């Protein structure tokens, strides 16, 4: 016997009739894989059983998450009392507002509620949108496949029972209403735009506040000199982004922890030394007295008071690999007491020294601790700024997976932590914008006013998305949802009204930046959706594919061709255009679609979906390569090796369990595919369309174990050697053709509007989109395609 065939025979374990036509030894392991996938989403936050592990994470997250919140005390009082302190009790009233605002928005809303709405460890607005997208089809791009719901951690809600009519009603509303989908999309990108704008404003206000402390020791320093010192620090801060935070990350936690201990101890010192009676602020009566006494001025000051919880949105967005318990522990026992003590201590100092309000933090610092405090303030402000910059990088990366942002070069600065990114173009723009803001505004008071609208708008949008998550995903009691929604929307609306009243004094800056960012996102996404729908409507028919493949003029050349297309259903219209211009086809042709799913990560074993396009002898396949929004694309060489290995496994699996030829219409909608339903605790299966190598077995194994009577046709007899040899021959053919060379075919699609379209549509598509497409990174660079192996095919679409 041929040793190769014998080896293959051993690998396949042969097919046993009693096991439902499946390899005996693989049955249990793959069934366990199917069960593991079902519960993977719920397991992420339950893995931290060890208190040692929890405490280690609690220490690490101090440096990553609390820098921005921990440095807010540098400028809150100076921004609030811009025109001085009018009444001695105003200090107590403002302190009371700070305490209860911080407790309500940061502690209750973010730390003890919103963190539970994480998307497998990812937080922030994008994660909430992703979570909603998995439970309701709200994407504007019609590329959903039922196979996507089989991904580990996808956790689709399935069909709600009769007791969950409210969630079912909301799901139907979001899926059926285009207005609801667009509104949800616009809310999400508005919050994302505000987060990016926040990354422009956080470094200037934090660093400028810290540098401003020099006036306590060097009173002759001018405002311009402080501004240019700040600009120099900002340039250095953005310049070192290319090196990532991996090497210096371990120093963040002790620095921020030392900073929190320092400001907490200073606050306690000031409380004891100056005026312990400010503890009256824990009585909310002083809030009422403050508004009664100051009326309109008190309401306007709310915009500055909300700066006490700036950084809360970064805490939620950057929760990353930390567990909920570790964050709640470190927050409750490290950040919360330190921040409250520093605000209380500054209030005690101001009650006796009201004229020092312009630089309260450093004026209240004991003389012997000034220089250590100043150095730590600079370090803490840089670390806090670093968190927002990193958040901006991650946000832009997520936008690309949503097809809402032009292609930009993304570098991964750490092999150990895949989430650490560096985007050179974005970093340069952030640096320029931050320096311009610093030089233009010069003081933290004006920058603080600009900062306010970013904080409150992100908070409001988080509340709205959290409410949808509560109804759709958590399915909790409507009374709790109503309490959450009414409490936070009403209070946040009051803060927003205060900020909007001062719109011309600073908030217009981040709004203008956000408008520009939103225009870019909307234009890019709009054209992408239109182009996708155009290709979907013009997919090549089955008859046309047969005609092209059987044409006598078509020549076959050795090697593998990878034809990149965004279309996950059918053959794109650019393919016949290629055959018309170059009537050749490679021995193996794979149509590849790179698809990002609304999950953080897709396991490599579930990465690829395959389907063979008829005619079978021509070795033409469709492949969908699925990635999570945090996954990075591999180098082209590694990608090809992995893809072709999975293709060989697919060929093996398909031939093992079915006698039917696996062909598909070139314009199949992919609606007939494996779907996992659980009526009465059983699995059901529909006619399949595309398969991953692992699903070829695991899903079928699960079905056979649950006794489904809706299984496709499977072989029920042992395979003979001839069949095994045929499988091996097909696999070896793929391997040999890969050795002959790989060619990457990339479509260069020019999108223009129809001649009689509106003027606005012509401006958006023909000018704005065209400018963005030509001036950002090209597709082959994003996909790491070697230039000498690249073949571009140009075509124009009229939309």
């Amino acid at each position: 016997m041929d040793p190769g065939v014998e080896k293959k025979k051993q690998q396949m374990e042969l097919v046993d009739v009693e096991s439902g036509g499946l390899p005996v030894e693989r049955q249990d392991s793959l069934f366990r894989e199917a069960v593991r996938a079902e519960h993977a989403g719920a397991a992420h936050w339950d893995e931290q059983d060890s208190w040692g592990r929890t405490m280690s994470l609690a220490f690490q997250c101090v440096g990553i998450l609390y820098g921005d919140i921990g440095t807010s005390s540098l400028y809150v009082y100076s921004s609030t009392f811009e025109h001085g302190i009018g009444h001695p009790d105003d200090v107590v009233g403002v302190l009371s507002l700070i305490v209860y605002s911080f407790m309500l928005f940061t502690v209750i809303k973010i730390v003890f509620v919103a963190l539970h709405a994480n998307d497998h460890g990812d937080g922030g607005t994008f994660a909430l949108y992703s979570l909603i997208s998995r439970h309701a089809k709200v994407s504007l791009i019609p590329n959903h496949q039922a196979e996507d719901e089989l991904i580990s951690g996808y956790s689709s809600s399935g069909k709600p029972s009769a007791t969950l009519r409210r969630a079912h009603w909301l799901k139907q509303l979001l899926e059926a209403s285009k207005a609801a989908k667009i509104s949800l999309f616009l809310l999400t990108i508005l919050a994302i735009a505000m987060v990016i704008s926040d990354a422009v404003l956080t470094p200037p206000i934090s660093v400028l506040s810290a540098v401003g402390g020099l006036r306590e020791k060097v009173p002759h320093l001018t405002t311009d000199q402080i501004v240019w010192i700040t600009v120099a620090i900002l340039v250095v801060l953005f310049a070192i982004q290319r090196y990532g935070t991996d090497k210096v990350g371990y120093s963040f936690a002790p620095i921020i922890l030392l900073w929190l201990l320092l400001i907490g101890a200073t606050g306690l010192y000031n409380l004891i030394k100056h005026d312990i009676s400010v503890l009256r602020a824990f009585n909310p009566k002083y809030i009422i007295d403050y508004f009664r006494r100051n009326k309109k001025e008190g309401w306007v000051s709310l915009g500055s008071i909300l700066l006490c919880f700036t950084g809360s949105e970064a805490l939620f967005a950057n929760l990353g690999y930390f567990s909920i318990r570790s964050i709640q522990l470190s927050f409750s026992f490290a950040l919360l007491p330190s921040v409250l003590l520093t605000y209380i201590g500054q209030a005690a100092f101001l009650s006796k020294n009201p004229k020092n309000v312009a630089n309260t933090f450093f004026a209240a610092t004991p003389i012997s601790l000034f220089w250590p405090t100043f150095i730590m303030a600079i370090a803490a402000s840089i670390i806090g700024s670093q968190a927002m910059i990193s958040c901006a990088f991650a946000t832009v990366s997520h936008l690309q997976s949503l097809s809402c942002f032009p292609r930009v070069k993304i570098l991964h600065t750490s092999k150990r932590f895949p989430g650490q990114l560096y985007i050179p173009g974005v970093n340069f723009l952030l640096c320029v914008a931050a320096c311009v803001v610093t030089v233009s505004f010069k003081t933290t008071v004006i920058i603080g006013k600009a900062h306010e609208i970013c904080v409150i708008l992100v908070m409001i949008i988080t509340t709205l998305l959290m409410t949808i998550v509560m109804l759709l995903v958590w399915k909790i009691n409507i009374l709790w949802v109503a309490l959450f929604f009414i409490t936070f929307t009403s209070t946040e609306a009051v803060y927003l009204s205060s900020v909007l009243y001062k719109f011309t004094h600073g908030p217009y800056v981040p709004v203008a930046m956000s408008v520009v960012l939103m225009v870019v996102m909307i234009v890019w996404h709009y054209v992408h959706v239109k182009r996708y729908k155009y290709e979907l409507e013009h997919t090549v028919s089955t008859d046309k594919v047969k005609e092209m493949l059987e044409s006598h003029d078509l020549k076959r050349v050795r090697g593998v061709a990878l034809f990149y297309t965004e279309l996950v259903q059918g053959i794109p219209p650019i393919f016949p255009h290629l055959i018309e211009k170059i009537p050749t086809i490679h021995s193996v042709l794979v149509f590849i679609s790179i698809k990002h799913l609304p999950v953080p990560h897709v396991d490599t074993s579930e990465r690829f979906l395959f389907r063979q396009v008829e005619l079978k002898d021509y070795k033409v396949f469709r492949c969908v390569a699925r990635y999570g929004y945090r996954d990075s694309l591999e180098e082209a060489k590694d990608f090809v090796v992995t893809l072709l290995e999975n293709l060989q496994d697919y060929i093996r699996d398909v031939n093992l369990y079915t006698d039917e030829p696996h062909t598909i219409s070139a314009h199949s909608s992919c609606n007939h595919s494996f779907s996992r339903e659980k009526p009465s605790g059983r699995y059901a299966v529909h006619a399949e369309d595309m398969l991953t190598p692992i699903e070829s077995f695991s899903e079928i194994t699960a079905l056979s174990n649950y006794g489904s009577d809706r299984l496709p046709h499977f072989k029920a007899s042992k395979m003979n050697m001839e069949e095994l040899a045929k499988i091996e021959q097909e696999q070896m053919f793929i391997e040999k053709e890969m050795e002959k060379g790989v060619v990457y075919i990339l479509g260069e699609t020019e999108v223009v509007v129809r001649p009689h379209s509106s003027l606005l549509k012509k401006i958006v598509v023909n000018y704005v989109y065209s400018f963005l497409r030509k001036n950002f990174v090209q597709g082959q660079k994003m996909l790491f395609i070697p230039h000498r192996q690249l073949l571009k095919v140009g075509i124009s679409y009229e939309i």
Side-chain angles (χ1 to χ4, degrees):
M1 181 184 297
D2 185 352
V5 174
E6 177 64 27
K7 181 179 178 181
K8 184 62 66 175
K9 174 183 175 181
Q10 294 172 358
Q11 289 175 347
M12 294 176 176
E13 313 290 350
L14 291 182
V15 180
D16 194 307
V17 178
E18 295 180 358
S19 65
L22 293 164
V24 178
E25 292 188 15
R26 292 194 62 174
Q27 185 175 0
D28 292 337
S29 63
L30 287 168
F31 177 70
R32 287 194 298 269
E33 172 68 20
V35 175
R36 181 196 65 78
E38 183 69 18
H39 301 286
H44 180 84
W45 292 100
D46 297 325
E47 293 174 354
Q48 286 80 16
D49 296 325
S50 166
W51 272 103
R53 172 68 173 163
T54 299
M55 296 306 293
S56 175
L57 289 173
F59 175 74
Q60 293 175 42
C61 72
V62 169
I64 303 298
L65 303 181
Y66 303 150
D68 196 6
I69 303 178
T71 54
S72 300
S73 57
L74 290 169
Y75 48 80
V76 170
Y77 280 112
S78 60
S79 298
T80 304
F81 293 114
E82 181 184 358
H83 304 293
I85 300 172
H87 189 279
D89 280 349
D90 284 352
V91 174
V92 179
V94 167
L95 175 60
S96 188
L97 278 167
I98 289 172
V99 169
Y100 284 102
S101 297
F102 191 81
M103 296 295 292
L104 180 65
F105 295 110
T106 303
V107 179
I108 297 176
K109 178 181 174 179
I110 298 298
V111 176
F112 288 96
V113 178
L115 288 187
H116 291 279
N118 68 85
D119 184 17
H120 298 289
D122 281 285
T125 308
F126 188 90
L128 292 175
Y129 181 78
S130 174
L131 199 59
I132 294 168
S133 297
R134 295 209 304 274
H135 290 78
K137 299 178 182 68
V138 297
S139 174
L140 297 173
I141 305 174
N143 66 348
H144 180 266
Q145 294 173 286
E147 295 93 345
D148 297 339
E149 298 180 15
L150 300 176
I151 289 289
S152 302
Y154 196 95
S155 303
S156 179
S157 58
K159 292 184 178 179
S161 64
T163 58
L164 301 174
R165 293 174 186 169
R166 186 175 62 250
H168 187 40
W169 171 83
L170 181 59
K171 178 176 169 21
Q172 289 182 321
L173 173 65
L174 292 173
E175 292 181 345
S177 172
K178 188 174 181 179
K181 291 181 181 180
I182 293 175
S183 299
L184 192 60
F185 172 76
L186 291 177
L187 277 176
T188 302
I189 64 170
L190 172 59
I192 289 172
M194 282 293 170
V195 168
I196 297 174
S197 300
D198 201 356
V200 172
L201 298 172
T202 296
I205 193 172
S206 299
V207 178
L208 191 59
S209 299
V211 174
L214 278 174
R215 281 182 170 169
E216 291 297 313
K217 292 296 182 182
V218 192
H220 63 270
L221 271 178
T222 65
T223 299
D224 287 341
Q225 289 173 326
I226 290 176
V227 165
W228 287 110
I229 293 173
T230 302
V231 168
I233 295 175
L234 291 177
V235 170
V236 172
L237 170 63
F238 284 99
I240 63 174
Q241 294 301 312
R242 69 181 66 189
Y243 303 108
T245 58
D246 186 30
K247 295 180 177 62
V248 295
Y250 290 104
S251 65
F252 284 4
I255 291 174
I256 296 298
L257 187 59
L258 186 58
W259 165 254
L260 293 177
L261 291 173
L262 186 61
I263 63 174
T266 302
L268 182 61
Y269 166 81
N270 284 316
L271 174 64
I272 296 171
K273 179 181 179 181
H274 296 291
D275 187 4
I276 200 169
S277 68
V278 295
L279 293 176
R280 294 173 293 159
F282 284 95
N283 185 347
K285 157 185 156 346
Y286 289 93
I287 296 177
I288 299 172
D289 293 343
Y290 175 75
F291 285 125
R292 185 183 295 125
R293 190 166 50 250
N294 293 279
K295 298 181 173 61
K296 179 181 176 181
E297 287 73 17
W299 164 67
V300 172
S301 69
L302 283 175
S304 300
I305 290 170
L306 69 81
L307 291 174
C308 71
F309 54 83
T310 182
S312 300
E313 68 281 7
L315 185 155
F316 182 33
N318 286 336
L319 65 95
Y321 300 98
F322 306 111
S323 66
I324 294 176
R325 187 166 64 178
S326 67
I327 294 174
Q328 291 175 342
L329 278 173
S330 61
F331 187 94
S332 301
F333 293 101
L335 181 76
L336 183 60
S338 297
V339 168
L340 290 183
L341 279 173
T342 189
Y343 284 121
I344 292 170
Q346 288 182 56
F349 174 82
L350 286 175
S351 67
K352 301 298 182 182
N353 305 276
K355 293 184 179 179
N356 289 328
V357 71
N359 200 12
T360 308
F361 181 86
F362 286 103
T365 302
I367 297 175
S368 59
L369 290 177
F370 175 82
W371 287 112
T373 303
F374 174 76
I375 294 170
M376 292 301 299
I378 296 290
S381 64
I382 289 174
I383 293 172
S385 302
Q386 172 67 50
M388 283 308 305
I389 296 169
S390 298
C391 185
F393 291 159
T395 299
V396 172
S397 176
H398 295 166
L399 282 173
Q400 291 201 19
S401 68
L402 200 62
S403 300
C404 291
F405 204 80
R407 302 184 186 102
V408 292
K409 184 178 181 181
I410 300 177
L411 303 176
H412 292 262
T413 59
S414 173
K415 293 182 179 179
R416 183 178 179 185
F417 302 106
Q420 292 188 4
L421 309 174
Y422 171 63
I423 306 178
V426 173
N427 186 66
F428 175 76
L429 292 176
L430 290 177
C431 179
V432 171
C435 292
V436 169
V437 166
T438 306
V439 173
S440 302
F441 289 163
K442 298 182 184 298
T443 67
T444 58
V445 173
I446 302 177
I447 299 176
K449 286 184 172 64
H451 200 188
E452 294 164 7
I453 198 164
C454 296
V455 177
I456 195 60
L457 278 180
V458 173
M459 276 288 187
I460 290 174
I461 294 171
T462 300
T463 298
L464 297 176
L465 296 182
M466 279 290 302
T467 303
I468 297 175
V469 168
M470 289 177 172
L471 291 169
L472 183 67
V473 182
W474 293 354
K475 306 179 184 72
I476 61 176
N477 190 294
I478 189 66
L479 295 178
W480 288 110
V481 178
L483 177 64
F484 176 87
F485 180 77
I486 292 170
T487 300
F488 288 104
T489 51
S490 59
T491 51
E492 288 164 357
V494 174
Y495 280 93
L496 178 62
S497 65
S498 170
V499 173
L500 292 178
Y501 179 80
K502 302 177 287 184
F503 185 79
T504 58
H505 294 84
Y508 69 90
V509 174
V511 169
M513 288 190 290
S514 297
V515 167
V516 173
L517 287 169
M518 286 187 69
V519 167
V520 171
M521 296 180 207
I522 291 170
V523 168
W524 192 264
H525 192 69
Y526 169 78
V527 177
H528 178 84
V529 172
K530 288 291 185 182
R531 185 180 64 189
Y532 192 93
K533 289 181 177 179
Y534 177 92
E535 290 189 335
L536 194 61
E537 293 168 0
H538 293 81
T539 50
V540 186
S541 67
T542 305
D543 293 337
K544 181 67 174 178
V545 172
K546 286 183 179 180
E547 181 184 340
M548 286 188 297
L549 294 179
E550 294 177 337
S551 172
H552 296 294
D553 296 331
L554 186 66
K555 298 178 181 179
R556 302 300 300 270
V557 295
R558 301 299 300 273
V560 176
L562 305 182
F563 196 120
Y564 284 86
T565 172
E566 293 179 351
L567 201 64
V568 300
Q569 302 108 324
I571 305 300
I574 198 172
F575 178 62
H577 180 70
L578 170 65
I579 298 300
E580 179 185 346
K581 300 298 181 183
I582 309 175
T584 58
I585 185 173
H586 287 75
S587 298
V588 178
L589 176 61
V590 184
F591 291 93
I592 297 179
S593 302
I594 304 294
K595 181 180 180 180
H596 287 88
L597 301 182
V599 293
H601 302 285
V602 174
D603 191 82
T604 51
S605 64
E606 301 174 304
R607 174 85 70 221
F608 299 102
L609 281 173
F610 289 99
R611 190 65 176 149
Q612 187 159 7
V613 179
E614 55 186 331
L615 300 167
K616 187 176 180 182
D617 292 338
Y618 277 78
K619 299 294 185 294
V620 179
F621 303 89
R622 285 199 292 111
C623 172
V624 179
R626 302 175 295 182
Y627 292 84
Y629 56 79
R630 272 188 174 268
D631 290 331
S632 58
L633 299 178
E634 304 94 331
E635 293 287 340
K637 183 179 179 180
D638 298 332
F639 175 79
V640 170
V641 171
T642 306
L643 182 143
L644 294 180
E645 285 177 353
N646 278 268
L647 178 57
Q648 289 176 301
D649 291 341
Y650 164 77
I651 291 171
R652 176 202 64 199
D653 296 350
V654 164
N655 284 281
L656 268 176
Y657 69 74
T658 179
D659 288 322
E660 299 298 325
H662 280 248
T663 57
I664 188 169
S665 165
H667 57 281
S668 171
S669 65
C670 291
N671 288 331
H672 304 292
S673 44
F674 279 122
S675 62
R676 193 179 296 168
E677 304 170 9
K678 284 176 275 189
S680 305
R682 293 165 64 87
Y683 283 88
V685 67
H686 302 294
E688 57 83 26
D689 182 7
M690 301 188 79
L691 298 173
T692 64
I694 200 167
E695 286 172 346
S696 304
F697 284 114
S698 63
E699 295 302 326
I700 304 307
T701 307
L703 290 167
S704 63
N705 277 271
Y706 278 91
S708 173
D709 57 357
R710 301 180 60 188
L711 290 170
H713 179 69
F714 298 99
K715 290 187 177 180
S717 62
K718 292 183 178 181
M719 299 186 71
N720 57 43
M721 293 303 100
E722 183 180 348
E723 290 173 318
L724 287 173
K726 185 179 178 182
I727 294 174
E728 184 181 31
Q729 184 180 2
E730 289 189 41
Q731 291 177 312
M732 292 300 296
F733 178 81
I734 300 291
E735 189 173 334
K736 288 179 180 178
E737 293 305 317
M738 184 180 73
E739 293 172 357
K740 294 293 182 182
V742 178
V743 174
Y744 303 85
I745 304 173
L746 201 63
E748 284 290 311
T749 307
E750 181 183 11
V751 181
V752 295
V753 296
R754 294 188 177 96
H756 302 293
S757 301
S758 66
L759 178 62
L760 177 61
K761 193 172 181 179
K762 288 180 179 177
I763 293 173
V764 167
V765 178
N766 293 354
Y767 295 98
V768 179
Y769 175 79
S770 179
F771 173 81
L772 294 173
R773 188 176 69 86
K774 292 176 181 177
N775 288 276
F776 280 83
V777 177
Q778 298 300 305
Q780 69 271 19
K781 293 182 180 179
M782 289 292 297
L783 298 169
F784 306 103
I785 295 175
H787 187 72
R788 58 187 178 85
Q789 295 174 262
L790 175 65
L791 173 62
K792 288 187 178 182
V793 185
I795 193 171
S796 293
Y797 294 158
E798 282 191 355
I799 62 173

